């Protein structure tokens, strides 16, 4: 039986009573693991359980998520893997993210409203000389318009957030953003999103800080 | 600290599309088993800018422009894969009456007696 590795936390992290995970200590750090039946692939339920389990850890302290599906043959390999990530960098991340959580906000704009706004700007002519080129231009204008609208609508969320990252959206008329907010501001952020009535707005979180992890930098042997 | 809002599973499933290729990556000595969950990533990896979408945008621009000029044009019935209205209708060949070929009278040479 091997292990799934879900994340890295401080060794002092208290797991919730009903957590499906356990900790493998590596000095002052710990890997969050669960048992894995060999040669089994991940199911959708397991993927959701991975994320749910990590979310449930957030009230107990900062969580650095590992890429879903990461495995190790045993606890010794798990410790080697955590050391390979660079404990100084991991400690830095944990300190940076202490008391913070990632919130995802999705805004869905009405397509006709967006097209009308783009038309009113007069940038796009309606003569379809090149359908693809014109279509791309309209799409770019829609994205620029929706981003500006989202900036205004989400200003109350930005006010309580420490950082923001733009996420890939499945349509030109959808804006998806990740905000890094203090845990005690999570409800305020969700309430601010719930107040948005102009467009369809959803808020999901708190999540581990997936979009606010800088790539680990190799430690200089000079200590710089 | 107030208790955090636990996201519902539907929201999490949506969020997974965004998170699938995120998170810290351990070096190659630790295997990553991703088989079986690629299907979750399909939604976000689909190319969002299809020609159908562009056609729909252009048709909307044409209608808005016509409205601005005071030309009232009702939107035609939607058709096509993503509800386009037929911007490319001119590309569809008009119905052409089948040509009727009347054979010309061919002079028949009478064999000389």
């Amino acid at each position: 039986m091997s292990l799934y590795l879900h994340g890295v936390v401080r060794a002092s992290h208290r797991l919730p009573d009903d957590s499906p995970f356990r900790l493998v200590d590596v000095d002052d750090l710990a890997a969050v693991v669960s048992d894995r039946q060999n040669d089994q692939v991940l199911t959708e339920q397991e993927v959701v359980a991975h994320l749910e389990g990590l979310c449930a850890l957030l009230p107990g302290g900062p969580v650095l998520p590992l890429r879903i599906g990461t495995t190790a043959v045993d606890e010794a390999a798990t410790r080697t893997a955590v050391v390979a990530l660079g404990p100084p960098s991991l400690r830095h991340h944990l300190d940076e993210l202490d008391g913070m959580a990632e919130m995802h906000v999705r805004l869905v704009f009405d397509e006709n409203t967006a097209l009308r706004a783009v038309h009113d700007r007069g940038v796009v002519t309606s003569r379809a000389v090149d359908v693809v080129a014109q279509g791309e231009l309209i799409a770019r204008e829609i994205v620029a318009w929706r981003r500006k609208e989202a900036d205004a609508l989400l200003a109350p969320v930005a006010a309580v957030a420490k950082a923001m990252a733009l996420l890939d959206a499945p349509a030109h008329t959808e804006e998806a953003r990740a905000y890094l907010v203090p845990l005690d501001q999570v409800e305020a952020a969700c309430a601010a999103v719930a107040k948005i009535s102009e467009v369809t707005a959803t808020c999901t979180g708190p999540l581990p800080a997936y979009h606010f992890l800088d790539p680990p930098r190799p430690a200089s042997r000079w200590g710089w | 600290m107030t208790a955090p809002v636990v996201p519902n599973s539907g929201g999490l499933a949506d969020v997974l599309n965004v998170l699938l290729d995120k998170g810290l990556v351990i070096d190659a000595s630790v295997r990553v088993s991703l088989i079986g969950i690629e299907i979750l990533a399909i939604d976000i990896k689909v190319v969002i800018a299809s020609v159908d979408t562009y056609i729909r945008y252009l048709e909307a621009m044409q209608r808005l422009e016509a409205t601005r000029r005071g030309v009232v044009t009702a939107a035609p019935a939607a058709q096509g894969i993503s509800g386009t209205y037929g911007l490319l209708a001119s590309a569809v060949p008009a119905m052409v009456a089948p040509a009727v070929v009347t054979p010309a009278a061919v002079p028949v040479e009478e064999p000389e007696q």
Side-chain angles (χ1 to χ4, degrees):
Chain A
M1 183 177 289
S2 58
L3 299 170
Y4 276 126
L5 311 188
H6 302 281
V8 177
V9 295
R10 291 176 178 142
S12 58
H13 199 115
R14 293 280 303 276
L15 294 183
D17 292 338
D18 56 348
S19 176
F21 305 145
R22 59 190 170 86
L23 301 183
V24 174
D25 288 355
V26 189
D27 296 328
D28 58 334
L29 303 172
V32 181
V33 305
S34 62
D35 292 331
R36 171 183 182 246
Q37 301 297 323
N38 287 333
D39 300 327
Q40 277 197 350
V41 296
L42 281 167
T43 64
E44 185 172 338
Q45 288 76 21
E46 285 176 318
V47 176
V48 173
H50 158 88
L51 187 54
E52 273 179 338
L54 288 180
C55 291
L57 297 185
L58 283 170
V63 178
L64 304 182
L66 292 174
R67 189 159 294 193
I68 180 94
T70 303
T71 64
V73 291
D74 54 21
E75 291 194 4
T78 301
R79 292 190 177 92
T80 305
V82 172
V83 170
L85 279 171
S89 171
L90 296 174
R91 288 186 198 104
H92 171 74
H93 283 314
L94 287 168
D95 291 344
E96 287 281 304
L97 298 173
D98 199 358
M100 310 296 287
E102 181 169 317
M103 301 296 294
H104 284 197
V105 181
R106 183 166 157 264
L107 302 179
V108 182
F109 293 89
D110 175 61
E111 185 175 289
N112 288 333
T113 306
L115 286 166
R116 210 171 296 121
V118 170
H119 175 262
D120 290 347
R121 288 191 62 198
V123 177
V124 181
T125 63
S126 62
R127 287 186 294 277
V129 179
D130 180 339
V131 171
V132 173
Q134 285 284 80
E136 284 174 343
L137 175 61
I138 296 168
R140 280 197 300 275
E141 290 292 319
I142 290 174
V143 170
W145 171 82
R146 88 165 189 227
R147 194 142 292 161
K148 201 172 168 187
E149 292 286 307
D151 282 343
L153 290 170
L154 295 173
V157 181
V160 298
K162 184 181 173 189
M164 187 274 284
L166 296 173
L167 307 180
D168 290 334
H172 301 120
T173 46
E174 286 189 33
E175 179 80 356
R177 296 182 175 193
Y179 286 95
L180 187 66
V181 300
L183 274 171
D184 60 2
Q185 294 292 324
V186 162
E187 289 181 20
C190 280
V193 173
K195 279 184 188 169
I196 297 172
S197 57
E198 295 89 337
V199 298
T200 306
T202 57
C203 180
T204 306
L207 303 160
Y210 277 93
H211 292 87
F212 303 97
L213 296 168
D214 297 326
R217 274 166 279 180
S220 163
R221 65 192 178 108
W222 306 110
W224 295 342
Chain B
M1 186 183 79
T2 54
V5 181
V6 178
N8 62 44
S9 58
L12 277 183
D14 290 341
V15 166
L16 277 173
N17 278 327
V18 182
L19 304 185
L20 267 185
D21 60 347
K22 298 290 190 301
L24 296 175
V25 179
I26 297 175
D27 69 7
S29 64
V30 179
R31 293 175 56 199
V32 177
S33 62
L34 288 170
I35 302 166
I37 59 170
E38 291 91 336
I39 192 165
L40 284 170
I42 288 174
D43 285 349
I44 201 68
K45 289 181 178 170
V46 154
V47 177
I48 60 171
S50 67
V51 172
D52 267 350
T53 306
Y54 291 158
I55 291 171
R56 196 172 71 240
Y57 290 168
L58 277 172
E59 287 170 345
M61 286 291 157
Q62 288 176 345
R63 285 197 302 278
L64 288 165
E65 186 61 20
T67 305
R68 188 184 69 80
R69 291 179 180 174
V71 181
V72 179
T73 54
Q79 55 182 300
I81 294 172
S82 64
T84 55
Y85 295 105
L87 182 76
L88 303 180
S90 57
V92 179
M95 186 178 289
V96 177
V100 179
V101 179
T102 307
V106 177
V108 178
E109 290 184 7
E110 295 289 333
E112 290 183 8
Q113 299 292 325

